[in-house]
Amino acid sequence: MPGNAAQVAQEASAPQSPPVKRRRLHPAWVVAAVAFLALVGAAGFRAAPGVLMVPLQQEFGWSTTVLSAAVSINLVLFGLTAPFAAALMERFGVRGVTATALVLIGMGSALTVLVNQSWQILLTWGLLIGLGTGSMALVFAATIANTWFTRSRGLVIGILTAGSAAGQLVFLPVIAVLAQDPGWRQASLLIAAGALAVIPLVLKFLKNSPADVGVLPYGAEPADVDAAEPKAKAAETQDGAPTNAAVRALQVLRRASKVRTFWALAAGFAICGATTNGLIGTHFIPSAHDHGMPETTAAGLLAVVGIFDIIGTIASGWLTDRFNPRVLLAVYYQFRGIGLLVLPLLLNAEVQPSMIVFVVIYGLDWVATVPPTAAICRETFGADGSVVFGWVFAAHQLGAAAAATAAGALRDATGHYTYAWFGAAAMCTIAAVISATIRRHRGPSEATAGEAEQAAA
């Protein structure tokens, strides 16, 4: 008893460590939720061209090639803006760049109602909306995940990438109905409203970094942050001064271009863009219309693609955290190629069960390629990973732009899209082979592109 009493007294007199404050919800998840809503708001236009193409042709008599050119300009700017936007987010913060991008999308969509000449649609659909969507793009998801998360990065990129699919799901059926009655102008105004409505949430809740709210990235330990900071600062500064965002983006491109993995990812992602945004996203509804299917029905099928895209992309993020991303990419591309190969046999005036199977499989595969591609960028290029992914995404959009224009020209020349679908299927097989042969990076996971360059040399 005396011994026990003495022990109790000793424990009572010992200094007590202060209680640790635990947040019920890490701020990173709040930022991720707002980023998801921003991507939903920005995704309205991604659903629009396929639905609005036929009404614009009927009102103004413009050819498929002209409207495809407007989409192509949008896709090119969408892609080429991305790496510079990633550098701008690093330099000036995510919040300001995102809010500006949403304003550009809203302006471009609203001004579309005033067009009456073909060059004007190139300005609104192409220039304004292209710059706006490119300033967010999928590199936005990679930036949020890399900045705010150490654990579950693949899952977060999958969730945020699904935001674009969710936007398609939300907007596409409504846009299709509005395009028929009362008209395509009201549909354009809806897209503008969707983009502008998210801006207040972005300004209030989308913090630039964990340091802004006094926390570490989700899943990080202090030692992880201390080790990563010198390399991140070295990547972002030159001679002790912050590097201009455009210069930083170009410097990263120069370094990454000397690493073979960059070119493999760029080639695969160019084919990814050609077979999603460029072909299915732009020409599926007109192609279905050629076979007698009502536009609203075809739009509904693309909305189903959006539903399963959400499931597939989130699942891909989960898989990327656990399996070799190179193998995942090869499987995704090959399944997509098989789907495109049989698509000409499935198009009909009425929706057959086989078409539903195609839509489900294609939806699961739509942008499932994003989490493993972003993971390989981070693994190979470390602190430069987000900007490198921006350049890889630029290749995605250049491929989409080329496919959108080429498919439109093929349709005008032959009266159908069959050759476009077959060509895309062959390209998917090429992408599968390229992805499977990407070498695993042997250096530390936080290596910069400069270190990867030296290793390659």
Side-chain angles (χ1 to χ4, degrees):
M1 289 293 293
N4 291 340
Q7 183 178 357
V8 171
Q10 184 178 3
E11 291 176 354
S13 62
Q16 301 293 321
S17 59
V20 178
K21 291 184 178 180
R22 294 187 180 276
R23 296 174 181 265
R24 292 185 178 180
L25 181 67
H26 193 285
W29 293 109
V30 176
V31 170
V34 175
F36 181 90
L37 293 176
L39 286 165
V40 170
F45 181 78
R46 301 264 59 82
V51 175
L52 301 184
M53 195 173 288
V54 174
L56 285 167
Q57 286 177 314
Q58 292 173 344
E59 179 168 339
F60 297 108
W62 298 334
S63 68
T64 304
T65 303
V66 167
L67 293 173
S68 297
V71 176
S72 295
I73 292 173
N74 173 279
L75 294 172
V76 168
L77 289 175
F78 188 11
L80 292 180
T81 305
F84 297 98
L88 284 170
M89 288 177 186
E90 291 180 355
R91 180 72 175 84
F92 297 105
V94 175
R95 179 169 50 193
V97 174
T98 303
T100 302
L102 290 167
V103 169
L104 288 173
I105 296 169
M107 287 177 55
S109 299
L111 291 174
T112 299
V113 304
L114 304 177
V115 304
N116 53 33
Q117 301 291 327
S118 60
W119 67 266
Q120 294 169 340
I121 202 72
L122 302 180
L123 181 65
T124 56
W125 276 19
L127 181 63
L128 289 177
I129 299 179
L131 289 173
T133 52
S135 296
M136 291 183 63
L138 299 181
V139 72
F140 173 60
T143 300
I144 293 292
N146 290 338
T147 302
W148 280 90
F149 292 84
T150 297
R151 191 167 68 237
S152 303
R153 276 186 183 139
L155 177 62
V156 172
I157 291 176
I159 293 172
L160 294 183
T161 303
S164 294
Q168 182 185 44
L169 172 64
V170 169
F171 285 103
L172 186 55
V174 181
I175 292 173
V177 172
L178 289 178
Q180 290 193 339
D181 185 20
W184 63 268
R185 290 177 176 83
Q186 285 72 17
S188 296
L189 292 175
L190 173 67
I191 297 168
L196 297 175
V198 189
I199 294 176
L201 291 175
V202 168
L203 294 176
K204 183 170 178 62
F205 296 109
L206 191 64
K207 306 300 182 182
N208 292 323
S209 71
D212 290 350
V213 290
V215 299
L216 297 176
Y218 178 76
E221 298 295 335
D224 299 331
V225 176
D226 293 341
E229 276 185 355
K231 292 178 180 178
K233 291 184 180 297
E236 295 171 11
T237 61
Q238 186 176 25
D239 299 328
T243 302
N244 177 277
V247 172
R248 162 124 168 88
L250 293 172
Q251 287 175 341
V252 170
L253 174 62
R254 179 179 61 82
R255 294 194 293 265
S257 65
K258 298 179 181 180
V259 182
R260 281 178 291 181
T261 297
F262 170 77
W263 293 108
L265 291 172
F269 229 40
I271 293 172
C272 179
T275 53
T276 52
N277 301 91
L279 284 176
I280 296 293
T282 305
H283 293 288
F284 177 80
I285 293 176
S287 180
H289 184 265
D290 288 345
H291 288 78
M293 183 181 293
E295 294 166 50
T296 51
T297 302
L301 290 174
L302 277 186
V304 175
V305 169
I307 294 173
F308 285 93
D309 182 13
I310 296 172
I311 299 171
T313 308
I314 294 175
S316 178
W318 184 86
L319 291 170
T320 300
D321 287 330
R322 290 160 176 79
F323 298 102
N324 187 340
R326 296 152 187 80
V327 175
L328 294 177
L329 284 176
V331 172
Y332 296 157
Y333 285 130
Q334 193 56 65
F335 267 100
R336 185 181 299 177
I338 294 171
L340 288 166
L341 189 65
V342 302
L343 179 58
L345 305 176
L346 306 181
L347 289 169
N348 204 302
E350 297 180 355
V351 179
Q352 304 294 332
S354 55
M355 175 58 77
I356 298 297
V357 173
F358 167 84
V359 166
V360 170
I361 294 176
Y362 214 84
L364 291 172
D365 201 346
W366 182 263
V367 284
T369 54
V370 172
T373 301
I376 296 173
C377 286
R378 178 74 186 182
E379 171 193 308
T380 306
F381 300 100
D384 287 340
S386 293
V387 180
V388 172
F389 181 71
W391 285 112
V392 172
F393 181 73
H396 181 281
Q397 296 307 107
L398 290 173
T405 301
L410 279 172
R411 166 64 178 80
D412 287 339
T414 65
H416 56 78
Y417 287 97
T418 303
Y419 296 136
W421 305 132
F422 287 163
M427 288 192 296
C428 284
T429 299
I430 295 172
V433 173
I434 291 173
S435 300
T437 55
I438 293 175
R439 293 181 179 179
R440 184 182 293 275
H441 179 60
R442 296 180 180 178
S445 61
E446 295 298 322
T448 63
E451 294 168 331
E453 174 190 340
Q454 293 173 5

